[in-house]
Amino acid sequence: MNIYMVRHGESIGNVKKSYHGDEELELSEKGIAQVRTLKKKLDNVNFNKIYVSERSRAAQTAELLGYKEIEVSEKLNERGFGIFEGMTFNEIENEYPLQCSHWLEDWRNYRPDKGESHSDVAKRVYDFMDELLENEKEDVLIITHAGVMRMIYCYVMDKREELFWKFSCDNCDMAVIKYEYDNLFLHSIEKLEGRG
């Protein structure tokens, strides 16, 4: 089985460099152009199933790629940042200094008010991957978010959550993970042309 993963195109929140998980944001003009470029790479791949997060930026990416038959999964949603939603790191540091300090001290387990911890996200993403490997046999596409893609990389690395920050993930990055002979491995991570 080949598992293709794509991060949605650039959103308005990505331009601001703010934390957006649950908040709904449309793609920017640049994001729309990114998806159109990515489409050329995916047009010749026939997917058995396409999984998309609940967020509109992922759905908009799927639509621009030309996919209509999709399966929406909340397990692929970006981390919910709760009271930090829509804020940059500097804004969080200034408005919530105590909470920000706790977050930095325990980044895996700290849960902002009305949000999720890093480990909460790991659990649901790992559950998704366990189910995927058990039930799917053909090529699939996952359209999701940077945090989820990094968490799936951790899953491939024997569920080592501490490796989360060892991977970059830009808008419209595409990764291919292969599952052969009960072995899961990262085959490739591809950037859009003209980017480092």
Side-chain angles (χ1 to χ4, degrees), residues 101-134:
S101 177
H102 292 321
W103 190 17
L104 293 174
E105 288 169 8
D106 190 6
W107 63 272
R108 288 170 70 175
N109 298 303
Y110 175 73
R111 184 181 294 112
D113 292 347
K114 301 177 183 176
E116 294 179 285
S117 72
H118 187 83
S119 292
D120 290 337
V121 180
K123 182 183 184 314
R124 64 174 163 82
V125 172
Y126 292 176
D127 285 347
F128 173 87
M129 290 300 295
D130 286 343
E131 292 168 12
L132 184 71
L133 296 184
E134 186 176 335

Side-chain angles (χ1 to χ4, degrees), residues 23-145:
E23 193 170 350
E24 293 291 11
L25 295 165
E26 296 298 312
L27 300 187
S28 66
E29 287 186 17
K30 178 180 176 182
I32 292 169
Q34 289 172 332
V35 178
R36 288 181 175 147
T37 299
L38 177 65
K39 187 177 189 304
K40 297 169 188 173
K41 297 182 179 185
L42 292 172
D43 272 348
N44 295 323
V45 185
N46 294 315
F47 296 108
N48 183 53
K49 197 170 284 187
I50 297 159
Y51 296 93
V52 179
S53 91
E54 293 179 318
R55 300 295 160 247
S56 59
R57 53 199 183 272
Q60 188 180 1
T61 298
E63 183 180 349
L64 289 168
L65 288 172
Y67 303 124
K68 295 177 181 176
E69 294 184 17
I70 61 174
E71 185 165 324
V72 177
S73 174
E74 60 86 25
K75 292 181 179 178
L76 295 175
N77 291 349
E78 183 60 280
R79 176 182 179 176
F81 289 100
I83 58 171
F84 298 160
E85 284 280 340
M87 303 175 74
T88 64
F89 182 78
N90 286 341
E91 289 169 342
I92 295 168
E93 204 171 24
N94 290 331
E95 191 164 336
Y96 298 105
L98 183 60
Q99 292 93 329
C100 189
S101 177
H102 292 321
W103 190 17
L104 293 174
E105 288 169 8
D106 190 6
W107 63 272
R108 288 170 70 175
N109 298 303
Y110 175 73
R111 184 181 294 112
D113 292 347
K114 301 177 183 176
E116 294 179 285
S117 72
H118 187 83
S119 292
D120 290 337
V121 180
K123 182 183 184 314
R124 64 174 163 82
V125 172
Y126 292 176
D127 285 347
F128 173 87
M129 290 300 295
D130 286 343
E131 292 168 12
L132 184 71
L133 296 184
E134 186 176 335
N135 297 314
E136 296 294 340
K137 304 299 179 198
E138 306 297 331
D139 292 353
V140 300
L141 172 64
I142 297 169
I143 301 174
T144 187
H145 309 269

Side-chain angles (χ1 to χ4, degrees), residues 5-7 144-153 169 173 175:
M5 290 196 305
V6 167
R7 184 185 176 191
T144 187
H145 309 269
V148 174
M149 285 182 66
R150 285 172 163 174
M151 200 65 78
I152 292 174
Y153 296 149
C169 189
D173 275 4

